[in-house]
Structure formats: structure tokens, C-alpha cells
């Protein structure tokens, strides 16, 4: 296992400002002083500042759901790393499957975001994962390997330790269908081996690989107990303070 578990909540396009700050406040109360697991929440862009304030001096870090690779200028709708840092973000999700498959982001675009995060001191969470049709066609390893290789193109071994990989099989996201611990561990082990090829084995051993896809308090422990699973990226369950706190508390056991 790569050091401390890292559990992040991806709120996606949900909550109002008051719901977002209330959720953050409830999390601070329940798990705000947990030191043995790294934690982050990723609210929608407009609520980052408000949530940061609600998180206060707690141990829960702030992340963004996306980022752009330019510093500033005529990029309507985009948000820069400096803007994210300005409002207190430490992390940014890059290449979430919904951005790949709904918005159409390519591996090349995602790689530029990852590189920009690294150069500006935001820790990227690079998401990878296969579609159901790709799993059924036995393409999981090919798809995930390609996403990792292209997503990490140009990331040096000195910089890779600040990168988190999130393996999220698309068929398990928001569906209530979770990959079994064996299915997840198999892909995580493959990812770790690939990172060992790209970098080296000790370096690969230190890179955190989260699992994502219908993680809940009642399946979190069996997933995070797998040798190559170093935490979770949580969607739906991160919108309920009890559930997200429950997942974090499973990680402490
Ligand atoms: P889910 O989402 O937990 O609702 O399946 C996970 C994700 O998309 O990061």
C-alpha cells in the first residue's frame, strides 16, 4: 500500500451553495480531525470558496472537479490552476469519465491538465477506466494502460508522487454496481505494474491508486483492504455526510 489512504468526494454537478456549505460543515464535525487518512472534497466551481470557509482549519482538503491548462486569457468557461489555488484548492480531478464520455475530453487534453497541475502545485487525480463494452470485449487492460500512458506522458519520476490515479470502471459509476474486490484489485495491480515499467518498482509502490464506482460505507472496507487499493473516489455517497464519514471511518479501522 502506498502510505496513507486517500479518500475524496466528487460532488459532481450537485448541491446549492447552502447545501454545499452545510455538507462541508457536517463533515468537519464528523471527520474533520482525522489524521490517519487523507481526505478531500470536490464541490462545483462556484462553491469552492464557500466550502473552503466551511472546512476551516480541518483536515479535509479542497479539490476541484476539473481545471484548464492555460494561465489566463480568452478561454470562456475555463478555470486556471492559479484560480484554484487562490480559493484554497490542493487537488484537481483530471479526466473524470463523465468528462471523457459526456464532454469528449481526449487523453491528450487530460495530459495537458495533469502537467499544468504538477507545474503549478495542484495535485492531480487522474481518472481512468473502461466502459462496459470494453470490459466485455476483454479490452480493460488495453484501455486503462493507454489512458495511464497518455495521461502521464511527460510526468517525471520526481513529480509522479504528487499524482493520484483513480481507477473507475465506467460501468460501476453511479450505477450501484460495484466492481468486486477481486475485479478491482486485478486492475489496480496491473496499473501498479505498468507504473513500475514507466518509472520503477519502488516509485510505483508509492503512487496512490484510488478505486471509484459506487463506493459505499458497506463495501468500502473490503475494497480498501485490497493490497493495491489506496483509497476511494466517491461520487453519490459523498453527498451524504454520514455516508462519506462512514467510508472514511472504514478506512481508519
Ligand atoms: P459514484 O461515482 O460513487 O456515484 O459511482 C464515482 C465517481 O464518479 O467518481
Amino acid at each position: 500500500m502506498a502510505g496513507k489512504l486517500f479518500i475524496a468526494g466528487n460532488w459532481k454537478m450537485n448541491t446549492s451553495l447552502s447545501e454545499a456549505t452545510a455538507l462541508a460543515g457536517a463533515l468537519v464535525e464528523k471527520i474533520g480531525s482525522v489524521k490517519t487518512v487523507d481526505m478531500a472534497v470536490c464541490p462545483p466551481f462556484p462553491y469552492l470558496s464557500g466550502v473552503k470557509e466551511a472546512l476551516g482549519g480541518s483536515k479535509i482538503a479542497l479539490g476541484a472537479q476539473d481545471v484548464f491548462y492555460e494561465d489566463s486569457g480568452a478561454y470562456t468557461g475555463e478555470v486556471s490552476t492559479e484560480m484554484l489555488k487562490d480559493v484554497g484548492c490542493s487537488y484537481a480531478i483530471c479526466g473524470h469519465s463523465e468528462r471523457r464520455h459526456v464532454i469528449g475530453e481526449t487523453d491528450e487534453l487530460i495530459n495537458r491538465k495533469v502537467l499544468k497541475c504538477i507545474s503549478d502545485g495542484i495535485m492531480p487525480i487522474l481518472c481512468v477506466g473502461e466502459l462496459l463494452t470494453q470490459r466485455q470485449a476483454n479490452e480493460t487492460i488495453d484501455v486503462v494502460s493507454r489512458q495511464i500512458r497518455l495521461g502521464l506522458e511527460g510526468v517525471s519520476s520526481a513529480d509522479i508522487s504528487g499524482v493520484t490515479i483513480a481507477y473507475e470502471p465506467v460501468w460501476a459509476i453511479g450505477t450501484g454496481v460495484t466492481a468486486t474486490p477481486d475485479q478491482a484489485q486485478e486492475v489496480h495491480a496491473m496499473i501498479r505494474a505498468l507504473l513500475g515499467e514507466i518509472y520503477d518498482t519502488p516509485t510505483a509502490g508509492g503512487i496512490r491508486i484510488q478505486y471509484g464506482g459506487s463506493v459505499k460505507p458497506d463495501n468500502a472496507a473490503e475494497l480498501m483492504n485490497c493490497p493495491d487499493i489506496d483509497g476511494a473516489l466517491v461520487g453519490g455517497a459523498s453527498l451524504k455526510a454520514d455516508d462519506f464519514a462512514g467510508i472514511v471511518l472504514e478506512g481508519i479501522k
Side-chain angles (χ1 to χ4, degrees):
M1 236 192 57
K4 271 193 218 177
L5 292 175
F6 175 33
I7 301 176
N10 172 12
W11 296 358
K12 307 192 180 184
M13 198 172 72
N14 294 298
T15 72
S16 64
L17 176 57
S18 62
E19 286 165 352
T21 54
L23 177 53
L27 291 174
V28 169
E29 229 169 78
K30 291 174 195 295
I31 50 171
S33 54
V34 169
K35 294 194 187 92
T36 47
V37 172
D38 285 335
M39 303 172 286
V41 291
C42 305
F45 285 137
Y47 308 147
L48 286 169
S49 286
V51 168
K52 179 67 187 173
E53 208 179 307
L55 293 174
S58 77
K59 299 287 178 202
I60 306 171
L62 188 68
Q65 297 174 20
D66 189 24
V67 63
F68 197 55
Y69 58 77
E70 292 288 355
D71 285 328
S72 64
Y75 303 103
T76 302
E78 296 299 339
V79 172
S80 72
T81 49
E82 288 307 317
M83 293 171 185
L84 295 184
K85 286 196 288 187
D86 208 9
V87 294
C89 282
S90 314
Y91 296 95
I93 298 173
C94 298
H96 188 275
S97 71
E98 285 141 22
R99 298 209 61 85
R100 290 178 187 267
H101 299 295
V102 182
I103 315 288
E105 288 195 4
T106 62
D107 287 303
E108 290 69 25
L109 173 63
I110 294 160
N111 175 242
R112 293 182 79 167
K113 295 180 177 192
V114 168
L115 291 171
K116 183 65 177 162
C117 282
I118 291 169
S119 78
D120 291 354
I122 292 270
M123 292 179 281
I125 301 172
L126 170 64
C127 298
V128 298
E130 80 286 2
L131 298 163
L132 180 59
T133 48
Q134 293 169 328
R135 173 161 283 261
Q136 287 166 336
N138 282 322
E139 291 167 4
T140 300
I141 302 293
D142 284 353
V143 169
V144 172
S145 302
R146 189 174 65 243
Q147 291 171 334
I148 298 259
R149 281 190 187 281
L150 295 175
L152 295 179
E153 182 106 44
V155 177
S156 70
S157 52
D159 288 329
I160 189 65
S161 63
V163 177
T164 298
I165 309 284
Y167 168 59
E168 301 199 298
V170 180
W171 46 272
I173 296 180
T175 56
V177 180
T178 316
T180 64
D182 284 351
Q183 282 174 321
Q185 167 57 28
E186 185 187 13
V187 181
H188 280 242
M190 179 282 290
I191 292 172
R192 190 144 351 249
L194 175 62
L195 293 169
E197 265 174 48
I198 301 174
Y199 301 99
D200 56 56
T201 306
T203 303
I207 301 170
R208 292 196 289 196
I209 311 173
Q210 296 174 318
Y211 169 78
S214 300
V215 176
K216 307 270 183 302
D218 61 3
N219 61 24
E222 56 176 8
L223 287 161
M224 294 191 296
N225 282 337
C226 294
D228 289 297
I229 300 184
D230 308 307
L233 183 55
V234 185
S238 72
L239 292 169
K240 294 195 189 109
D242 281 341
D243 284 359
F244 189 70
I247 292 167
V248 169
L249 296 175
E250 287 299 330
I252 293 175
K253 284 183 188 163

